[in-house]
Amino acid sequence: MVILTTICSEFPDIDVFFSNGNPLQHLQIHRGLTHSILGASLLALLLAGVTKRWFLKERRFSTLYLASLGGLGIHIFFDLVTSYGTMLFYPFSKARLSFDTVFIVDPYIWLILLLPLLLRWRRGALFAHRNLIATIILALYLSLGFLNHGVAMHRLQRWTTAQ
């Protein structure tokens, strides 16, 4: 199930193959339907169906669907917190939503996500919970980004009303 969720977490970027090599079209459609709630729901149906049919026949479809939807949701969330954002409600709205808390490619997030792999070679009780540790650190890092963004927006609003 973890492998299915991991594969699904990268699947929304399949939209890069639909731009015909045109950079402007790529920017317009990237993070569109495949990064929307509707698109994730449909992609999860497709991925769960393929997985059930050819790979995990003994698993319940609902379990595979939830694992697929979870992986897709993780991807969409991590794109939503970037400055580029996503069209979360596409095709009903082309508005690009963004929490704008981290840069599109954030090296600190990559390091945090690599932490469980780096801790894999260490022994001990603390390192047995390496995934939980990395998840907590990631949540704290993203929370700090939300806090920084909120403080910056508050200060900007105060500064613009004082002028």
Side-chain angles (χ1 to χ4, degrees):
M1 297 308 288
V2 173
I3 293 171
L4 175 62
T5 303
T6 304
I7 291 169
C8 291
S9 71
E10 294 305 318
F11 209 77
D13 283 336
I14 197 167
D15 62 6
V16 299
F17 297 111
F18 303 134
S19 65
N20 299 327
N22 181 337
L24 180 59
Q25 185 184 22
H26 172 76
L27 286 174
Q28 290 172 334
I29 67 168
H30 183 54
R31 295 188 182 179
L33 181 61
T34 59
H35 288 71
S36 69
I37 294 170
L38 176 64
S41 301
L42 296 173
L43 278 173
L45 279 173
L46 173 72
L47 293 167
V50 167
T51 304
K52 173 87 173 152
R53 172 106 166 114
W54 284 293
F55 300 105
L56 298 173
K57 295 175 183 177
E58 72 283 352
R59 297 291 179 126
R60 293 178 48 186
F61 181 81
S62 59
T63 304
L64 298 173
Y65 178 76
L66 290 175
S68 300
L69 192 60
L72 294 164
I74 288 168
H75 182 105
I76 292 168
F77 172 77
F78 276 110
D79 284 349
L80 193 58
V81 299
T82 67
S83 52
Y84 189 61
T86 67
M87 291 184 251
L88 192 61
F89 300 110
Y90 189 87
F92 308 108
S93 170
K94 289 187 177 181
R96 197 172 286 276
L97 302 175
S98 168
F99 291 122
D100 196 16
T101 57
V102 296
F103 187 63
I104 295 170
V105 178
D106 190 315
Y108 296 113
I109 288 180
W110 284 104
L111 288 173
I112 294 168
L113 292 174
L114 284 173
L115 187 61
L117 292 174
L118 297 173
L119 294 178
R120 186 177 180 94
W121 289 281
R122 304 289 299 178
R123 300 276 186 234
L126 176 66
F127 299 110
H129 301 291
R130 61 188 174 271
N131 293 340
L132 178 62
I133 293 168
T135 302
I136 291 169
I137 293 170
L138 185 59
L140 289 172
Y141 179 73
L142 290 174
S143 298
L144 183 62
F146 278 101
L147 179 68
N148 279 338
H149 186 264
V151 168
M153 295 306 290
H154 177 72
R155 287 184 179 173
L156 178 65
Q157 183 180 12
R158 254 188 16 205
W159 180 76
T160 56
T161 55
Q163 297 298 323

